[in-house]
Amino acid sequence: MAKDSLVKQSLPLSLILGSRFFGLFIVMPVLSLYTLSLPGVTPLLVGIAVGGYALTQVLFQIPFGFLSDKFGRKSMIAIGLVIFALGSLICALSEDIYMLILGRLLQGAGAVGGVVSAMIADLVKEENRTKAMVFMGATISLSFTIALILGPILAGSFGVPSLFWITCALACIAFVVLIVTVPNAPKITYSFRNAERSSVLKNKNLQIMNLTNFLQKGFMTLALLVIPIALVKGFDMSKGDLWQVYVPASLLGFFAMIPAAIVAEKKGKFKAVMIVGILFFALAYLLMLSQSKAVFIFGVLVFFIGFSIHEPIMQSLASRYCKAYQKGSAMGIFTAFGYLGSFFGAVLGGHLYEFFSILSLVVFVVIACFVWILIFAFLANPAMQKNLYLPLANSTANASLESLAQLSGILEWYINESERIAVIKYDKHIIDKDKILEFINKHLKDCFKELEC
């Protein structure tokens, strides 16, 4: 796939997702203080207003993913953006804490992160998928950085409701971008129609990737909980100066994505890069035990690098381990585990930090990282899964291709009806491309165009 085609197919969706994350991030530095000024507020309601969106994200990611498999990705993304815009509008107009909570819950209910990832996977060939996910991860990273900077500035000048108006406007713009620039996902005819949809929950590799997203997002929430408290209370840094740490850390993470993606994709070192990221997590938390401000900040930089090199690779891996017909459901579950990790990371991290000190939190993270690396030993090497793309000669080929199931090592096949291409996924350990082409030339030659052994 040409580079310009890759950008054309993945960048609009990345911008849509980035604008949505920007809307969620921009209020985070100021929302808790703002809620204290609203009628009827209590500490519990403040917590729900700040973090409630994560719970509705968890609840709605899976239904959105499942429905996108049934009714199409683009339509479900559009519905999610409308719900998100409505939630932002309610937040902007809220006059008490209860109305604000309703708006925040609706913002989370527009849970299309997994659907966007699935659609990128639909549009981009598997061999280029990590590059596409880098676009998405980089866009989210930049959204996070810009939101942290602009949030307090805009809130101070125009008030917190202005941030929700901006978020609503961005959601409307994203809706237009979706309709105008994003192509429809290709129409797919799947093989293995009788496979159980519940198998997506039984897939060992997907289970490991779901756990990975849970831990990665949980550790990020822990870090965002500890970093500002330690810098402000422990090292006497002004709240207004926190961006001086976050911005360089985010930029370093942004630049770390590209070489990590190259090593993973070109060299087939997906597992190795993921394990390096986990080691970065453990090292970062150990560094944040230091009483030295410089060492602590270095630990923050190390953490953001580890987090960022994970992000595009995780998305790509999760989409590779599921069947084509399960992609929306699988990515919805994967994304839901990430938000669940964020929620439990905040709850558990706050408890450990308040009652047992940062040392207990670091010990917990390091032990979890060690177990996490051991679990990765059971993850299948995705580099052994290859795809063969073959142009179909006629419309009657679909039924004939069922004979591919006779070949040991064929993981699945499906037909891109929009482009009339058969995509055959196989395990390189068991069968190679030449044997597949030999079988096709012998039994299915009339189904394809100009095949060579």
Side-chain angles (χ1 to χ4, degrees):
M1 178 177 292
K3 183 178 179 181
D4 58 342
S5 178
L6 177 67
V7 174
K8 182 180 178 180
Q9 291 179 330
S10 60
L11 190 56
L13 285 166
S14 298
L15 291 174
I16 289 170
L17 196 59
S19 67
R20 187 173 171 279
F21 273 96
F22 178 86
L24 292 172
F25 291 148
I26 195 171
V27 298
M28 295 304 285
V30 294
L31 187 59
S32 59
L33 293 175
Y34 171 70
T35 56
L36 295 176
S37 65
L38 295 175
V41 69
T42 67
L44 175 61
L45 293 177
V46 170
I48 296 174
V50 173
Y53 80 96
L55 289 178
T56 47
Q57 286 277 359
V58 171
L59 292 174
F60 285 92
Q61 285 290 341
I62 297 173
F64 264 95
F66 176 79
L67 291 172
S68 77
D69 284 336
K70 287 284 188 181
F71 303 109
R73 315 277 190 231
K74 194 169 179 178
S75 59
M76 297 312 300
I77 294 172
I79 292 171
L81 288 173
V82 170
I83 294 173
F84 183 69
L86 179 60
S88 302
L89 179 63
I90 291 174
C91 288
L93 296 172
S94 61
E95 297 180 353
D96 58 48
I97 189 67
Y98 300 102
M99 191 173 176
L100 179 66
I101 288 173
L102 173 62
R104 291 287 286 170
L105 293 176
L106 276 176
Q107 281 187 313
V112 294
V115 182
V116 172
S117 296
M119 190 165 186
I120 290 177
D122 287 339
L123 294 172
V124 179
K125 287 185 178 181
E126 192 166 297
E127 293 78 7
N128 295 305
R129 198 167 293 162
T130 301
K131 297 175 186 176
M133 296 304 178
V134 167
F135 280 115
M136 186 174 73
T139 304
I140 293 173
S141 179
L142 285 175
S143 298
F144 175 77
T145 304
I146 296 171
L148 285 178
I149 297 172
L150 290 183
I153 296 173
L154 293 174
S157 301
F158 305 104
V160 172
S162 69
L163 304 183
F164 290 115
W165 283 113
I166 292 171
T167 299
C168 182
L170 287 174
C172 294
I173 293 171
F175 183 90
V176 174
V177 170
L178 174 72
I179 301 302
V180 174
T181 68
V182 177
N184 291 318
K187 182 182 178 183
I188 302 296
T189 299
Y190 303 115
S191 64
F192 307 108
R193 292 175 180 271
N194 295 325
E196 294 182 13
R197 189 165 292 273
S198 62
S199 64
V200 74
L201 298 174
K202 301 175 183 177
N203 186 312
K204 176 199 69 177
N205 296 311
L206 285 175
Q207 289 172 348
I208 294 174
M209 293 313 302
N210 291 337
L211 175 65
T212 292
N213 203 22
F214 177 88
L215 291 173
Q216 191 234 30
K217 297 301 190 297
F219 290 164
M220 168 56 92
T221 307
L222 285 175
L224 292 178
L225 180 77
V226 170
I227 291 168
I229 295 175
L231 288 175
V232 173
K233 293 188 176 181
F235 297 110
D236 297 322
M237 178 180 279
S238 169
K239 292 180 182 179
D241 293 335
L242 288 176
W243 66 270
Q244 297 177 9
V245 176
Y246 285 130
V247 171
S250 297
L251 290 176
L252 275 176
F254 173 78
F255 289 115
M257 284 184 184
I258 298 174
I262 292 173
V263 171
E265 194 75 64
K266 298 294 186 183
K267 305 294 184 181
K269 302 292 186 181
F270 290 93
K271 291 172 66 173
V273 173
M274 291 296 295
I275 289 172
V276 167
I278 298 172
L279 292 173
F280 271 48
F281 285 167
L283 175 60
Y285 274 93
L286 288 171
L287 289 171
M288 285 191 280
L289 276 176
S290 175
Q291 299 299 311
S292 165
K293 181 179 178 181
V295 174
F296 182 91
I297 292 176
F298 180 66
V300 175
L301 301 180
V302 170
F303 178 83
F304 271 74
I305 292 173
F307 180 85
S308 297
I309 65 177
H310 266 192
E311 195 63 26
I313 298 172
M314 285 197 316
Q315 302 278 349
S316 178
L317 281 178
S319 67
R320 289 171 186 241
Y321 288 124
C322 58
K323 302 292 187 185
Y325 69 91
Q326 300 170 324
K327 208 171 290 177
S329 300
M331 296 307 295
I333 294 170
F334 172 80
T335 306
F337 266 87
Y339 281 106
L340 196 63
S342 296
F343 177 75
F344 278 104
V347 173
L348 181 61
H351 181 78
L352 287 174
Y353 190 79
E354 181 178 358
F355 295 103
F356 298 100
S357 82
I358 191 173
L359 176 61
S360 65
L361 190 149
V362 171
V363 170
F364 169 78
V365 169
V366 171
I367 293 174
C369 286
F370 177 73
V371 175
W372 191 1
I373 291 173
L374 293 179
I375 290 173
F376 254 86
F378 298 96
L379 186 73
N381 186 354
M384 294 299 105
Q385 296 183 3
K386 298 294 182 181
N387 289 294
L388 189 57
Y389 301 90
L390 303 175
L392 292 167
N394 56 66
S395 58
T396 63
N398 299 33
S400 303
L401 293 181
E402 292 290 346
S403 61
L404 287 170
Q406 300 174 22
L407 292 176
S408 177
I410 298 292
L411 302 175
E412 69 168 330
W413 61 263
Y414 59 92
I415 294 174
N416 181 331
E417 297 284 5
S418 303
E419 300 178 25
R420 294 303 297 167
I421 294 175
V423 182
I424 304 171
K425 179 176 281 192
Y426 62 96
D427 189 329
K428 198 170 85 170
H429 270 318
I430 302 173
I431 193 170
D432 59 26
K433 175 182 175 181
D434 290 339
K435 288 184 179 179
I436 298 173
L437 291 176
E438 182 181 346
F439 177 88
I440 289 174
N441 272 299
K442 185 175 181 180
H443 300 285
L444 298 169
K445 189 173 183 179
D446 293 339
C447 297
F448 297 98
K449 299 177 182 177
E450 302 175 4
L451 294 182
E452 297 180 4
C453 288

